[in-house]
């Protein structure tokens, strides 16, 4: 039976980059016998504009039925003054929570062709290949109580809660351990165990789970040091596992090591391997509609979708090789442009990847 993919372009450059991913999926259907049915729906600010909710019930139902979801990006200045419960980001967070997508895989790989595009020295980043595993449905993003209350003095007090159960930590650490087993067998668990009780517990659970993976070398690092080590000597890392918020911050940091946040895909998986795939960059309202956004993170997200949810690792490899080839050809969107290369727009980059795939 055909697998179902739900495509959610979202806001800003989401529309443009998803258009390139759709061309890629069309090519896989027509030329490589990929047996999928593709549906499209609204999420984020565009959904709010159309029906008054960043995550319409119809979208959520379609997402539940799908085998995989491909998302562009959500958010934009236009919706920043809305109540937080109606903001585009709530659409994304709602999808993660409702679909139980607790395991967020964010690979940070430096393509050798882009060593010059990184703001760090080439010798610091060349050869970088690490995976950040971010817990995605718990922690301070979802903890209760949360809000802003008014004190008797009339002053306001804002509060959020960092909360994890042992079982939530255990399952994400095991996902990271399994990934480490297929890579360099080193896992660094990032916490703030010197200050936050919740993450001291995190560390203890990681140690316990680690006993089932004697081949994996488990280390622990405080988050402030991890941020420093990422820019000082990032190649020391193989797999990193951490909380929702620390993972949000550290993955942006790791993205920049690779030259551009426009290069990095991600997968968010549930217990059964169903997943949502998205570039880790945002909706970039400043460049939306200009045709200059880098579609490679989204195209690479299609590759991750094939690998993790559609059981087609061979096709995923081919797409990744095609991206490698266009970089070899010297094609660059503005975010990764460097001397001697040819600057191209979103569409031209998407077409070049398809041409490389077709050989
Ligand atoms: C990310 C983003 C989201 C997050 C936002 C858009 C809600 O920054 O996927 O990293 O904070 O998780
Ligand atoms: Mg983020």
């Amino acid at each position: 039976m055909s697998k179902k993919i739900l495509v959610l372009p979202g806001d800003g450059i989401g529309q443009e980059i998803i258009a390139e991913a759709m061309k890629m999926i069309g090519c896989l259907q027509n030329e490589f016998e990929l047996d999928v049915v593709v549906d499209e729906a609204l999420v984020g600010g565009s959904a709010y504009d159309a029906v008054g909710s960043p995550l319409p019930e119809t979208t959520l139902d379609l997402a539940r039925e799908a085998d995989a979801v491909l998302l562009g990006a959500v958010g934009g200045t236009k919706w920043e003054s809305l109540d937080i419960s109606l903001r585009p980001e709530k659409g994304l967070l709602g999808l993660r929570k409702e679909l139980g997508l607790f395991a967020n895989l964010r690979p940070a790989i430096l393509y050798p062709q882009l060593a010059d595009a990184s703001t760090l020295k080439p010798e610091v980043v060349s050869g970088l290949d690490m995976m950040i595993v971010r817990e995605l449905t718990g922690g301070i993003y979802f903890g209760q109580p949360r809000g802003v209350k008014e004190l008797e003095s009339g002053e306001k007090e804002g509060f959020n809660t960092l909360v994890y159960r042992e079982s939530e930590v255990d399952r994400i650490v095991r996902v990271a351990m399994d990934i480490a087993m297929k890579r360099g067998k080193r896992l660094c668990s990032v916490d703030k165990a010197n200050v936050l009780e919740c993450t001291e517990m995190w560390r203890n659970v990681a140690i316990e789970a680690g006993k089932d993976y004697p081949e994996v070398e488990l280390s622990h690092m405080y988050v402030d040091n991890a941020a420093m080590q990422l820019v000082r000597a990032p190649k020391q890392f193989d797999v990193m596992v951490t909380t929702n918020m620390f993972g949000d911050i550290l993955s942006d940091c790791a993205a920049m090591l690779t030259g551009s946040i426009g290069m990095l895909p991600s997968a968010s998986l549930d217990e059964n391997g169903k997943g949502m795939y998205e570039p880790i960059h945002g909706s970039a309202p400043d460049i939306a509609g200009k045709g200059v956004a880098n579609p490679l993170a989204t195209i690479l997200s299609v590759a991750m979708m094939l690998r993790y949810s559609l059981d087609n690792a061979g096709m995923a490899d081919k797409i990744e090789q095609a991206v490698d080839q266009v970089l070899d050809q010297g094609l660059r969107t503005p975010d990764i442009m460097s001397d001697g290369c040819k600057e191209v727009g979103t569409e031209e980059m998407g077409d070049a990847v398809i041409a490389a795939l077709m050989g």
Side-chain angles (χ1 to χ4, degrees):
M1 214 170 79
S2 313
K3 298 257 187 183
K4 284 188 193 165
I5 303 177
L6 178 66
V7 175
L8 304 171
D11 310 320
I13 59 167
Q15 309 280 343
E16 300 153 60
I17 54 176
I18 285 289
E20 298 313 305
M22 293 286 276
K23 279 201 298 208
M24 167 66 71
I25 293 170
C27 165
L28 298 179
Q29 286 172 310
N30 297 333
E31 310 290 336
F32 296 90
E33 291 169 12
L34 179 71
D35 186 13
V36 292
V37 180
V38 183
D39 224 331
E40 198 177 312
L42 292 169
V43 73
S46 51
Y48 174 81
D49 287 347
V51 298
S53 159
L55 181 55
E57 205 52 46
T58 47
T59 299
L60 191 53
D61 287 344
L62 286 169
R64 285 202 180 101
E65 281 165 27
D67 296 292
V69 179
L70 180 68
L71 186 134
V74 296
T77 38
K78 184 178 170 194
W79 302 284
E80 269 168 15
S81 56
L82 285 176
D83 183 76
I84 204 162
S85 64
L86 294 172
R87 294 219 197 120
E89 289 77 3
K90 276 286 171 199
L92 179 57
L93 296 171
L95 278 168
R96 290 174 179 170
K97 190 72 177 174
E98 292 297 324
L99 300 180
L101 307 172
F102 70 94
N104 186 212
L105 279 38
R106 299 191 161 190
I109 295 168
L110 180 86
Y111 285 83
Q113 303 93 321
L114 299 183
D116 289 336
S118 175
T119 47
L120 274 80
K121 294 190 191 111
E123 62 267 29
V124 174
V125 288
S126 63
L128 177 75
D129 178 350
M130 68 175 293
M131 174 74 93
I132 297 185
V133 179
R134 168 188 176 194
E135 199 292 325
L136 203 60
T137 50
I140 199 166
Y141 268 53
F142 294 96
Q144 295 288 348
R146 61 191 299 156
V148 178
K149 68 179 179 202
E150 199 166 302
L151 301 173
E152 272 174 29
S153 63
E155 190 185 6
K156 284 187 181 145
E157 184 177 79
F159 51 99
N160 288 88
T161 307
L162 171 61
V163 52
Y164 272 113
R165 293 197 180 168
E166 287 181 305
S167 53
E168 288 178 285
V169 180
D170 183 72
R171 67 178 181 176
I172 191 71
V173 169
R174 284 175 193 275
V175 168
M177 285 281 181
D178 287 336
I179 292 172
M181 281 299 287
K182 294 190 195 136
R183 298 177 38 111
K185 299 192 176 162
R186 286 182 299 117
L187 176 63
C188 179
S189 170
V190 174
D191 59 42
K192 188 72 185 173
N194 51 342
V195 178
L196 305 174
E197 292 83 350
C198 178
T199 69
E200 188 184 23
M201 184 199 84
W202 173 291
R203 184 177 289 214
N204 293 334
V205 174
I207 292 169
E208 272 311 304
K211 291 181 182 161
D212 288 340
Y213 296 82
E215 282 179 58
V216 176
E217 184 194 312
L218 174 66
S219 61
H220 307 271
M221 206 179 266
Y222 298 141
V223 63
D224 47 350
N225 186 26
M228 182 172 76
Q229 296 300 332
L230 270 178
V231 288
R232 192 188 74 88
K235 282 183 275 179
Q236 71 185 279
F237 297 110
D238 176 23
V239 183
M240 186 183 268
V241 65
T242 190
T243 66
N244 203 340
M245 187 161 77
F246 294 165
D248 179 44
I249 298 165
L250 294 176
S251 62
D252 265 30
C253 181
M256 207 48 225
L257 305 174
T258 69
S260 168
I261 198 166
M263 290 300 298
L264 295 197
S266 77
S268 307
L269 306 175
D270 75 0
E271 304 264 11
N272 308 311
K274 169 169 172 164
M276 182 160 81
Y277 299 83
E278 51 179 316
I280 87 156
H281 60 70
S283 58
D286 52 323
I287 57 164
K290 297 190 178 151
V292 297
N294 186 346
L296 294 180
T298 314
I299 289 171
L300 291 167
S301 297
V302 173
M304 284 191 98
M305 177 168 81
L306 287 158
R307 179 170 293 122
Y308 291 104
S309 290
L310 302 179
D311 200 22
N312 199 337
M315 204 65 240
D317 288 343
K318 286 205 180 94
I319 293 178
E320 286 162 0
Q321 282 155 16
V323 168
D324 206 51
Q325 271 182 42
V326 299
L327 294 175
D328 275 343
Q329 291 160 13
L331 303 186
R332 303 283 188 272
T333 43
D335 57 309
I336 49 174
M337 184 60 192
S338 60
D339 285 352
C341 293
K342 177 171 186 252
E343 191 165 310
V344 296
T346 311
E347 274 186 48
E348 211 177 326
M349 187 59 112
D351 289 341
V353 179
I354 289 177
L357 189 71
M358 304 281 293

